[in-house]
Amino acid sequence: MRKGMGISEEEWTILRIFGPKHFPFDKLVTWFETEFAIGFDPDFVPALTRNQKGFVAWLFGDGAEPYWPGKD
C-alpha cells in the first residue's frame, strides 16, 4: 500500500508518528481507485472512500477493524 501510494519508508514512519490527522487521503483514494479497479464490486471503492478515516485509524492501530454494516 505504501509503495502503491508513492510514499517513502521515511514518510510512512512520520505518518505513523503523527497519525491519521496528517495522512495524505488524496493519495489513498487514488490508490483505492487503482488497486481495486478490476475484479471488485463497483461499490467497493466508494465504500472504502466514504470510510477512509476509519480505515487509516485501523491501519495505524488507532481504531478497531473497520466494520461497515448495512449499505457498506
Side-chain angles (χ1 to χ4, degrees), residues 2-44:
R2 176 189 62 76
K3 289 179 182 178
M5 290 175 59
I7 297 175
S8 70
E9 285 186 46
E10 182 179 344
E11 184 181 2
W12 191 257
T13 300
I14 292 168
L15 288 171
R16 290 187 59 88
I17 292 168
F18 289 103
K21 186 183 290 188
H22 302 293
F23 198 82
F25 287 100
D26 57 331
K27 289 183 179 182
L28 178 64
V29 171
T30 300
W31 181 76
F32 285 160
E33 293 169 344
T34 303
E35 188 69 18
F36 303 113
I38 299 172
F40 292 86
D41 188 284
D43 293 328
F44 187 55

